[in-house]
Amino acid sequence: MSTSAQTSAETDASAAARPGGTVTDRLVEANSRYADRFTDPGMDARPVLNVAVVACMDARIDLHAALGLELGDCHTIRNAGGVVTDDVIRSLTISQRALGTRSVVLIHHTSCGLESITEDFRQELEHEVGQRPVWAVEAFKDVDQDVRQSIQRVRTSPFLLHTDDVRGFVFDVKTGRLREILPAS
């Protein structure tokens, strides 16, 4: 077990003792190399561009590269599907009210895993573990319509101060291009 009192050498020795280590071990080792070169950028938590981006957690999307963003430019909120859930509203509310963001960019993508499952996933989990999740899967069949729904959820939230600059997009995982989705009229 690793504790904060262990030295870096002890942690390295512990990881080395396991054949091949784990993915987490590799990530921790990469962080150690990163920290050796790290210099404090001198910024606070307020994003320079005053924007929050909500996107899918899909590993194929390099969000900062796709949007030309640098460290400190935006708040990034990612979840399965990039859908606007109560927790996304919570994060956006904190982003706006405590940290000054004014714009919201919503990004779903083509070939999303949430298009291939249904809300039955919750029942399957209940049968497997004996407890039904309290959260919704938020599965969808029409990515454009789900972006519209997400735009609407942001625009109608009573907790958000700034709902006039909310735009939604679908990222094409084959071309890397964004396609804007207009809100429902």
Side-chain angles (χ1 to χ4, degrees):
M1 179 170 147
S2 178
T3 66
S4 59
Q6 283 184 302
T7 66
S8 177
E10 288 173 318
T11 304
D12 291 345
S14 173
R18 289 187 292 266
T22 66
V23 171
T24 303
D25 293 331
R26 284 188 12 224
L27 298 177
V28 171
E29 289 167 15
N31 174 258
S32 180
R33 291 187 299 277
Y34 171 80
D36 289 343
R37 299 182 310 274
F38 184 79
T39 55
D40 180 357
M43 48 179 89
D44 68 14
R46 294 175 183 272
V48 173
L49 299 179
N50 297 325
V51 64
V53 179
V54 178
C56 185
M57 65 187 190
D58 193 294
R60 296 172 289 181
I61 304 171
D62 183 348
L63 202 55
H64 277 72
L67 300 176
L69 296 167
E70 299 292 330
L71 180 67
D73 282 349
C74 73
H75 283 159
T76 305
I77 304 161
R78 295 183 82 159
N79 68 14
V83 296
V84 175
T85 61
D86 287 345
D87 194 57
V88 167
I89 294 295
R90 178 188 71 88
S91 293
L92 288 173
T93 301
I94 292 166
S95 178
Q96 287 189 357
R97 291 179 176 265
L99 298 165
T101 60
R102 300 186 61 84
S103 300
V104 178
V105 174
L106 306 170
I107 301 177
H108 286 34
H109 66 90
T110 58
S111 303
C112 184
L114 284 187
E115 292 175 301
S116 63
I117 63 175
T118 68
E119 292 297 322
D120 292 341
F121 183 75
R122 292 175 69 224
Q123 286 182 316
E124 293 165 11
L125 283 172
E126 180 180 18
H127 290 302
E128 181 181 329
V129 302
Q131 180 179 343
R132 178 176 272 202
V134 296
W135 39 264
V137 174
E138 297 283 350
F140 53 85
K141 294 293 181 202
D142 182 339
V143 67
D144 290 15
Q145 180 54 34
D146 204 68
V147 171
R148 283 187 201 94
Q149 176 176 293
S150 290
I151 292 170
Q152 188 66 13
R153 284 179 177 173
V154 171
R155 286 188 171 172
T156 59
S157 173
F159 306 110
L160 299 175
L161 295 171
H162 308 289
T163 58
D164 55 321
D165 188 13
V166 179
R167 293 173 65 186
F169 301 86
V170 174
F171 177 87
D172 188 312
V173 297
K174 299 286 188 207
T175 68
R177 294 201 182 278
L178 289 177
R179 178 173 51 83
E180 187 158 11
I181 304 299
L182 298 176
S185 16

